[in-house]
Amino acid sequence: MNDYASNPFPYGDLALGDSFAARRSERAALAAAMRDGEDVVVIGRRRLGRSSLIWNAAQAVAPDGVLVVHVNLMTTPSKERLAAALVDAIEEIGGAAPLDLGFNARTAEVDVLLERLLRLPGEMGAERGRRVALIVDEFQQVAEIDPGLPDLMRSVFQRQAEVSHVYSGCKPLAMERIFGDGGEPFWRSANPIELGPIEPAAFAPFVAERFAATGKRVAAGAIAALLELTGGHPYATQQLCSFLWQRTGAGEEATTAELELALTDVLRSEHTHFLLLWEGCSPNQRLVIEALAREPGRPFRAEYRRRHDLGPATNVQRALKSLEQREIAVGEGGAYRLAEPFLAEWLV
């Protein structure tokens, strides 16, 4: 069924260029902030396209001469590791590390080194007459590295008017606390961009265009059914589209028949992941997962618990707390749903 055209629906890796789906207004807003030296906080749960958005914006500002420095706090569990990552990132844009990392790493020395490295991108930009975008990924980890690190960073960043600081995080509650709590050093210091699922009206044309670009077609009914299955979740949509594209021959049209086969392919590919997830849950957590698979909603309400034999509200609360921490369930305003779009289909 396959031809030699490249699959136009990447998932798992960054979606760049033509593979980037739908978030044109967010990309434009972020790129404008990078050009203007504004600070932005990008909040989005895993697999919602947060990294792809940021790197597409970075690509958009590259022709304008914006220097992009990127560090990921998830891979820097100590201040020493963060300093080393900053040295590497600065060298990538043609800078030079000002200090030798082979020193006796007493706390005071590490803080002095970090402050110098955090100042350096702004100094480089000023010397070259260019804007700088400093991307700090997984920023919710900042206080985990060291409780004093947010104060140190903020003391440097608030004097860098020529630098756009882009703070990216996958834990909404943690990020909201960092930027929304009046007692935190980063309180109201950045404009928010919050990512959720993509609306079908924006996603549907993208799906049709990507099929057409590789000499294939997809029926409108198949697109609608696909987006209903994924709920506009970017990773899940790209994944299901990828398998649907593979099921569609060159010059042919994908229909709901091919979509059913593609869904089976996805569930087969995710089986080990879902099985490990399921085996890692307690019996009470499994009951809640099954209930949310049948009916996303408000599990604390008595009628919901009766419909799904969930037992006392305290049991549900404990289960949901763990499921949220493991990013299996997502809650907002008392309503909950499964974070994995295909988990409900796998449980059937």
Side-chain angles (χ1 to χ4, degrees):
M1 287 186 185
N2 299 332
D3 56 28
Y4 293 102
S6 298
N7 193 315
F9 298 103
Y11 63 95
D13 298 324
L14 291 174
L16 301 174
D18 291 338
S19 297
F20 181 66
R23 298 195 191 276
R24 295 178 180 175
S25 61
E26 292 93 335
R27 177 176 57 187
L30 183 53
M34 289 179 173
R35 294 187 189 98
D36 296 340
E38 296 177 1
D39 293 349
V40 180
V41 52
V42 182
I43 303 173
R45 298 181 187 277
R46 297 191 190 281
R47 296 185 169 185
L48 284 177
R50 181 170 39 89
S51 295
S52 292
L53 169 66
I54 291 170
W55 282 110
N56 274 276
Q59 285 186 331
V61 300
D64 301 316
V66 177
L67 301 171
V68 178
V69 180
H70 174 262
V71 291
N72 188 328
L73 300 191
M74 191 66 75
T75 61
T76 60
S78 67
K79 291 190 288 187
E80 293 81 4
R81 291 279 293 275
L82 175 58
L86 281 166
V87 168
D88 290 342
I90 290 166
E91 288 178 344
E92 285 184 6
I93 61 169
L99 297 172
D100 183 3
L101 289 181
F103 60 90
N104 181 16
R106 293 190 298 271
T107 299
E109 291 181 342
V110 175
D111 287 346
V112 169
L113 174 59
L114 267 179
E115 183 176 356
R116 181 72 186 93
L117 289 169
L118 291 170
R119 288 205 314 265
L120 192 56
E123 294 172 0
M124 290 174 58
E127 290 172 1
R128 301 179 189 184
R130 296 167 68 179
R131 288 286 191 187
V132 178
L134 175 56
I135 301 167
V136 189
D137 211 350
E138 304 298 352
F139 194 70
Q140 73 277 349
Q141 299 294 120
V142 63
E144 298 295 324
I145 296 173
D146 185 89
L149 186 55
D151 287 301
L152 176 61
M153 282 185 162
R154 183 62 181 144
S155 68
V156 174
F157 292 168
Q158 64 186 352
R159 298 194 297 270
Q160 292 180 322
E162 68 285 353
V163 177
S164 169
H165 304 94
V166 180
Y167 311 100
S168 171
C170 67
K171 303 283 188 182
L173 291 178
M175 294 293 283
E176 288 166 9
R177 183 171 58 253
I178 292 170
F179 291 93
D181 187 330
E184 295 292 329
F186 281 92
W187 177 60
R188 299 183 69 178
S189 64
N191 296 321
I193 296 178
E194 298 188 30
L195 302 183
I198 297 174
E199 291 294 325
F203 228 146
F206 169 82
V207 174
E209 288 165 6
R210 300 310 295 147
F211 267 83
T214 53
K216 301 183 182 185
R217 293 169 291 118
V218 56
I223 295 178
L226 184 149
L227 293 175
E228 184 175 357
L229 281 166
T230 66
H233 188 285
Y235 179 94
T237 302
Q238 294 267 28
Q239 183 182 26
L240 186 51
C241 282
S242 176
F243 280 97
L244 179 60
W245 185 90
Q246 291 176 20
R247 282 280 180 181
T248 308
E252 296 180 357
E253 181 178 68
T255 67
T256 52
E258 285 77 29
L259 179 61
E260 290 179 6
L261 295 173
L263 178 59
T264 300
D265 295 337
V266 169
L267 296 179
R268 187 180 296 117
S269 74
E270 293 287 350
H271 176 73
T272 300
H273 165 63
F274 287 149
L275 185 61
L276 290 172
L277 179 154
W278 184 254
E279 290 178 344
C281 292
S282 69
N284 195 41
Q285 290 166 7
R286 293 178 185 178
L287 286 174
V288 174
I289 290 173
E290 288 178 329
L292 293 176
R294 291 190 295 266
E295 181 190 355
R298 299 180 178 275
F300 294 120
R301 290 183 174 176
E303 60 270 23
Y304 185 101
R305 288 185 283 111
R306 280 197 299 270
R307 280 198 300 274
H308 300 284
D309 298 319
L310 292 182
T314 52
N315 291 354
V316 174
Q317 183 179 33
R318 282 195 296 270
L320 283 171
K321 182 178 180 180
S322 176
L323 293 175
E324 281 196 286
Q325 288 174 343
R326 295 176 59 192
E327 299 186 62
I328 297 172
V330 176
E332 184 175 355
Y336 290 81
R337 58 178 173 81
L338 295 178
E340 298 270 7
F342 300 123
L343 180 55
E345 297 291 332
W346 180 81
L347 288 168
V348 174

